[in-house]
Amino acid sequence: MEQSRAHSQPPPRVPAAQTPARRDTMFCHKCQDEWYRDEHGLTCPACGSDFTEIVEEDNDPRDVHIHDHSDDTESMPDLEEAPAHLNPFAHHNPWRDAGHDADDPEETDISQLRYQQVAPGRFTVTGTVYRTMSPSGAGRGNPNVGGFASMLNNIIGAQIGQMHTVPPQNDEAERQQSGSGTTPAGHRFHYQANARLFPRDANHAGPQIEPVDEMSNVLAGLMAAFGEPPGGPRAAQNHDPYAPPAHPLNPLLAMLTGFMPGGNAAAGDFVYSQEALDRVISQLMEQTSTSNAPGPAPQSDIDALPRKHVSMDMLGPEGRAECSICMDEVNIGEEVTELPCHHWFHHGCVAMWLAEHDTCPHCRQGISEHSENAGGTTAGGAATASHGAATATQNPQNANTGSRSMPGAFDVEGDGSLDHPFVVPSASPEQRRG
Amino acid sequence: MSLPKRIIKETERLMADPVPGISAVPHEDNLRYFDVTIEGPSQSPYEKGIFQLELFLPDDYPMTPPKIRFLTKIYHPNIDRLGRICLDVLKSNWSPALQIRTILLSIQALLGAPNPDDPLANDVAQDWKKDEKGAIETARQWTQQYAK
């Protein structure tokens, strides 16, 4: 479009045969707002743009926009496929199907929208608009940056339309609608819903009071879809015939989501209700629940752990013992793996644990040289059950750590009542300690 | 997916040798899901209260801790409005040597020893620090009102 046109244009002719109170109508190319020149001047009062033009009978820039819009749809279908429940007019492209909907008896009317000023501050618009949505295409994409301007425009138009228009209309009849209003903005034409089409009627002025429950339900749905492609849940919502009627806050929501980078950010990045917040917090808590736990032990260290066979003196006082990870009983002669702290387990059981966290399941001492949990500065050493000394003597290669065993002691690690306040009841009869 | 032997053993032992003041009963149709009740410890504002909890053993249990939550409303600085519990052994200090039994005992102990310096329910913790007497009284009232 010729950007320079707005200002290089000569002053409008005053048509001689006009009604006496003829006023210049201004049109904003940026937001497609309309206003009277004598009220707001040449700069768009809605968006502040000066890319504006005076509407003249033989040079109506709005027609250009209408057709441009239609072209946009051809080349960038995504623009028009913003989630319809967020933006009730997103699918509201009346011209999209004009080409292939040849049976449409009103087709000629579609291209003959009329905008007439009948009196100062009054105008009449006539036209029929078909809202045809392709379910397969619905929600396929998000409004991208380029589409945002037109989306915003639709939003504003929708809001104004709701606030100023029209009694509820019977949308079963395919008839022309005409209406009038007191403001030029947003009153280009009235939309007429068609019974063949999508059952939700965005045309009717919905309740102006925000139904809070429904709002949060919608958001909850989006929250639940956290992480899914944004098109999915919105498309589903789009097909919900019981979706709440378009109301003013939904376009606001559409704006919020539209502002997100690339339109790809999920609505879950924001929360609008306490439940949603709780859900996010729960999720974070889950994700970080073990983030403070020590990291995995090196596989080589796990593989290098000494194996030994269960002997009589490794069994508990009742002559029984079990691996405290799988809780299976271990019998004399069975091979187990012993950690530096002399606690022993089935190799498979403890290897699985150490591969996630380098801590002894009983005393939290680490197995790897570099592990902070293995730091030998702790005088108290690891909590070791009463048989610790006995097992230590059987493993001379671990004599260096054996010195930290405290026979007969159950105390927690000396350094850690704050970090590791939990005392493992290692002497409990169920948890055989060797 | 078959139930690991460990879960079966734990369940059997909880049944055969229950912990005083604590019960944990698995659902018939989901043996990883337990209905839990914990009696409030004596000498605490939760005394005489019977608190319902739900406990779920995830697929990788015991490599990951059980998921557990209060169903009964409770006024406690380490338990939030949704019943989520702030307890280290349920999070980073979990160990596979711990069991349902030991975890439930830890929770019971937490009722007896609230820790407002490591809060989950921030507002409760603030009340607790500002006016411990009042907070304890509130906890007592909530116990009478909800933990029956």
Side-chain angles (χ1 to χ4, degrees):
Chain A
M1 265 179 288
E2 314 95 299
Q3 300 275 334
S4 61
R5 215 164 129 191
H7 291 304
S8 63
Q9 186 158 9
R13 305 164 280 132
V14 179
Q18 268 299 338
T19 42
R22 161 79 189 196
R23 304 158 80 190
D24 286 334
T25 302
M26 296 298 298
F27 175 77
C28 175
H29 283 278
K30 193 167 174 196
C31 70
Q32 298 175 31
D33 193 15
E34 293 165 34
W35 67 97
Y36 285 125
R37 184 186 180 183
D38 54 349
E39 285 175 4
H40 298 293
L42 289 170
T43 305
C44 175
C47 71
S49 166
D50 53 12
F51 182 26
T52 60
E53 188 172 348
I54 296 163
V55 176
E56 295 174 276
E57 204 145 19
D58 56 347
N59 178 22
D60 190 337
R62 296 169 299 192
D63 289 339
V64 177
H65 260 270
I66 285 164
H67 294 302
D68 280 355
H69 211 119
S70 173
D71 291 344
D72 283 350
T73 309
E74 300 300 317
S75 58
M76 295 187 283
D78 279 0
L79 301 192
E80 294 302 317
E81 286 166 6
H85 77 287
L86 298 177
N87 176 5
F89 287 76
H91 293 265
H92 220 142
N93 177 9
W95 295 275
R96 177 188 294 165
D97 291 317
H100 42 88
D101 197 359
D103 293 331
D104 187 346
E106 311 257 9
E107 185 176 345
T108 49
D109 291 332
I110 290 170
S111 58
Q112 290 181 355
L113 287 167
R114 290 206 175 88
Y115 177 91
Q116 264 187 317
Q117 177 153 15
V118 294
R122 291 190 62 80
F123 61 94
T124 302
V125 181
T126 310
T128 303
V129 170
Y130 288 88
R131 301 169 58 222
T132 302
M133 282 187 275
S134 146
S136 62
R140 192 195 300 148
N142 272 313
N144 59 25
V145 177
F148 185 64
S150 72
M151 198 172 98
L152 187 64
N153 176 55
N154 282 334
I155 290 162
I156 294 166
Q159 275 182 284
I160 294 172
Q162 283 194 354
M163 287 187 280
H164 293 276
T165 24
V166 290
Q169 296 154 357
N170 177 3
D171 59 333
E172 287 174 7
E174 287 186 33
R175 58 162 191 242
Q176 289 196 339
Q177 299 279 343
S178 66
S180 61
T182 56
T183 165
H187 271 282
R188 300 289 312 287
F189 39 77
H190 292 294
Y191 296 96
Q192 178 179 351
N194 185 309
R196 292 181 292 139
L197 303 178
F198 187 62
R200 199 188 70 194
D201 183 9
N203 195 21
H204 289 178
Q208 297 291 315
I209 298 160
E210 170 61 20
V212 172
D213 273 346
E214 287 185 326
M215 186 66 165
S216 56
N217 283 345
V218 168
L219 291 165
L222 289 169
M223 288 296 305
F226 189 66
E228 283 181 25
R234 295 176 188 178
Q237 184 72 26
N238 191 21
H239 293 293
D240 180 6
Y242 305 106
H247 43 62
L249 278 189
N250 262 356
L252 287 178
L253 177 59
M255 282 172 70
L256 287 173
T257 52
F259 273 126
M260 290 180 231
N264 282 328
D269 291 352
F270 296 99
V271 294
Y272 305 92
S273 66
Q274 185 65 49
E275 297 96 284
L277 180 64
D278 288 338
R279 216 182 310 237
V280 170
I281 291 176
S282 291
Q283 196 175 22
L284 289 172
M285 285 170 66
E286 298 251 314
Q287 284 167 355
T288 59
S289 62
T290 53
S291 64
N292 288 332
Q299 189 61 44
S300 54
D301 288 4
I302 297 173
D303 294 340
L305 288 170
R307 318 279 180 111
K308 62 190 282 189
H309 294 277
V310 176
S311 60
M312 195 62 180
D313 55 356
M314 288 164 69
L315 301 183
E318 294 162 16
R320 300 171 63 226
E322 65 181 26
C323 168
S324 56
I325 296 177
C326 66
M327 291 177 71
D328 265 356
E329 196 163 334
V330 279
N331 299 307
I332 289 178
E334 212 171 310
E335 189 183 79
V336 292
T337 291
E338 189 181 58
L339 307 192
C341 54
H342 308 300
H343 293 121
W344 51 263
F345 310 88
H346 286 133
H347 181 78
C349 295
V350 77
M352 206 195 304
W353 172 252
L354 291 171
E356 292 180 39
H357 306 286
D358 182 9
T359 59
C360 168
H362 275 297
C363 65
R364 305 192 195 288
Q365 186 185 338
I367 62 157
S368 81
E369 295 274 316
H370 313 290
S371 164
E372 54 190 68
N373 297 296
T377 56
T378 328
T384 314
S386 47
H387 300 278
T391 51
T393 56
Q394 290 162 1
N395 292 278
Q397 73 270 35
N398 287 320
N400 58 330
T401 58
S403 64
R404 284 191 276 124
S405 310
M406 290 180 61
F410 294 62
D411 41 339
V412 273
E413 301 166 57
D415 65 336
S417 63
L418 201 67
D419 292 334
H420 305 292
F422 193 77
V423 181
V424 178
S426 48
S428 102
E430 291 162 22
Q431 300 179 357
R432 57 67 248 179
R433 271 302 316 127
Chain B
M1 184 173 161
S2 70
L3 208 61
K5 223 187 234 174
R6 161 159 171 162
I7 295 180
I8 296 168
K9 278 201 176 173
E10 278 202 65
T11 308
E12 281 172 2
R13 289 182 194 176
L14 281 167
M15 297 298 176
D17 180 21
V19 191
I22 292 175
S23 79
V25 183
H27 277 207
E28 261 176 39
D29 56 348
N30 183 357
L31 295 172
R32 289 175 176 271
Y33 186 87
F34 290 72
D35 289 326
V36 175
T37 61
I38 295 181
E39 287 176 20
S42 58
Q43 315 284 310
S44 82
Y46 311 101
E47 190 174 5
K48 298 207 170 81
I50 297 175
F51 296 90
Q52 313 276 340
L53 296 88
E54 60 177 4
L55 182 148
F56 180 73
L57 303 175
D59 279 347
D60 39 6
Y61 179 83
M63 294 301 149
T64 57
K67 296 184 187 308
I68 186 161
R69 169 173 100 85
F70 272 82
L71 299 174
T72 305
K73 215 163 130 81
I74 181 169
Y75 192 80
H76 189 290
N78 309 106
I79 299 163
D80 77 357
R81 223 166 21 79
L82 300 183
R84 297 175 299 207
I85 304 163
C86 179
L87 188 62
D88 62 335
V89 287
L90 287 174
K91 305 281 192 297
S92 55
N93 276 351
W94 167 252
S95 140
L98 297 171
Q99 303 176 15
I100 298 173
R101 173 192 299 271
T102 49
I103 286 296
L104 295 181
L105 278 167
S106 298
I107 292 170
Q108 197 181 37
L110 184 70
L111 294 186
N115 179 9
D117 291 321
D118 183 19
L120 187 60
N122 214 8
D123 44 345
V124 178
Q126 273 168 8
D127 288 357
W128 213 279
K129 284 168 114 169
K130 238 187 319 185
D131 176 14
E132 189 173 346
K133 259 191 186 168
I136 288 173
E137 187 49 38
T138 307
R140 204 184 308 275
Q141 281 169 9
W142 282 37
T143 303
Q144 283 171 11
Q145 193 173 347
Y146 303 111
K148 291 185 270 205

